[in-house]
């Protein structure tokens, strides 16, 4: 199975931040017609195994033993949408719909000082809370190392695909400018030309 991000032809975010990106990209994309990978426990656990394997590869940490049941899916989907809205790229000519305040999702993570001085971390819970704990820790680490601002969700009103902005000026707002940015960019260009006349 390919990653939820690879199905959009995008590169994975560096290190453990890719887990947050992969979670956002589990959802249905209206423009490309991909399926929701959190639709049922079987699909969600298939996605989770693959995503955790990529996370473990990227971080050098052992893969945690997490398992999702039916009751884990609604809060995990809510977390996914919170992440999408929190990382939504803002284009000057795109009106983003108003969003409700984010729900506070408390999570527990265990920190442990290793003999070599590194701090190890792992989730305490096994269900959606374990996924949320790892994602939260990776967001915190990305914030501290300056990479979090590069994780964005496409500004396309019917899209929201998560991408890692590798551009020098971090100005990208579309996961694919030909798919999501073409019409808004064309409208903005016409407006600028009209205003110049």
């Amino acid at each position: 199975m390919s990653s939820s991000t690879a199905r959009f032809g995008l590169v994975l975010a560096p290190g453990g931040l890719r887990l947050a990106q992969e979670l956002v990209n589990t959802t249905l994309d209206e423009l490309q017609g991909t399926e929701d990978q959190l639709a049922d426990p079987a699909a969600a656990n298939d996605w989770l195994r693959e995503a955790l394997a990529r996370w473990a590869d990227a971080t050098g940490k052992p893969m945690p033993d997490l398992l999702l049941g039916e009751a884990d899916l609604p809060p995990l989907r809510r977390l996914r949408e919170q992440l999408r809205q929190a990382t939504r790229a803002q284009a000057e000519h795109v009106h983003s719909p108003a969003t409700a305040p984010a729900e506070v999702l408390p999570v527990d993570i265990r920190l442990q000082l290793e003999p070599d001085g590194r701090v190890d971390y792992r989730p305490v819970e096994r269900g959606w809370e374990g996924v949320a704990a790892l994602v939260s820790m990776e967001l915190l680490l990305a914030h501290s190392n300056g990479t979090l601002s590069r994780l964005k969700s496409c500004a396309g009103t019917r899209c929201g695909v998560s991408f890692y902005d590798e551009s020098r000026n971090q100005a990208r707002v579309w996961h694919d400018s030909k798919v999501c940015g073409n019409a808004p960019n064309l409208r903005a260009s016409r407006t600028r030309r009209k205003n110049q006349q």
Side-chain angles (χ1 to χ4, degrees), residues 61-141:
K61 298 189 177 310
M63 192 167 131
D65 183 25
L66 301 179
L67 185 66
L68 299 170
E70 189 70 45
D72 292 307
L73 300 184
L76 193 55
R77 289 185 201 117
R78 287 194 300 274
L79 175 60
R80 173 179 68 190
E81 293 314 311
Q82 272 189 254
L83 283 170
R84 183 184 322 285
Q85 291 309 318
T87 60
R88 192 81 162 179
Q90 297 300 315
E92 63 189 47
H93 46 274
V94 173
H95 173 67
S96 296
T99 58
E103 178 183 357
V104 175
L105 302 172
V107 294
D108 293 319
I109 195 136
R110 179 167 289 133
L111 301 176
Q112 179 176 327
L113 183 61
E114 297 295 330
D116 63 1
R118 289 180 302 113
V119 176
D120 193 22
Y121 53 94
R122 62 181 166 274
V124 174
E125 303 294 332
R126 291 197 63 222
W128 79 269
E129 296 99 333
V131 177
L134 280 180
V135 166
S136 298
M137 189 67 190
E138 295 304 340
L139 294 173
L140 177 64
L141 293 170

Side-chain angles (χ1 to χ4, degrees), residues 21-53:
Q21 180 186 28
E22 289 279 80
L23 176 58
V24 172
N25 287 338
T26 58
T27 194
L28 176 73
D29 170 49
E30 293 180 33
L31 297 174
Q32 297 186 15
T34 57
E35 294 181 22
D36 187 343
Q37 293 176 305
L38 302 181
D40 58 69
N45 282 302
D46 285 347
W47 164 78
L48 183 58
R49 268 190 303 279
E50 295 291 326
L52 288 175

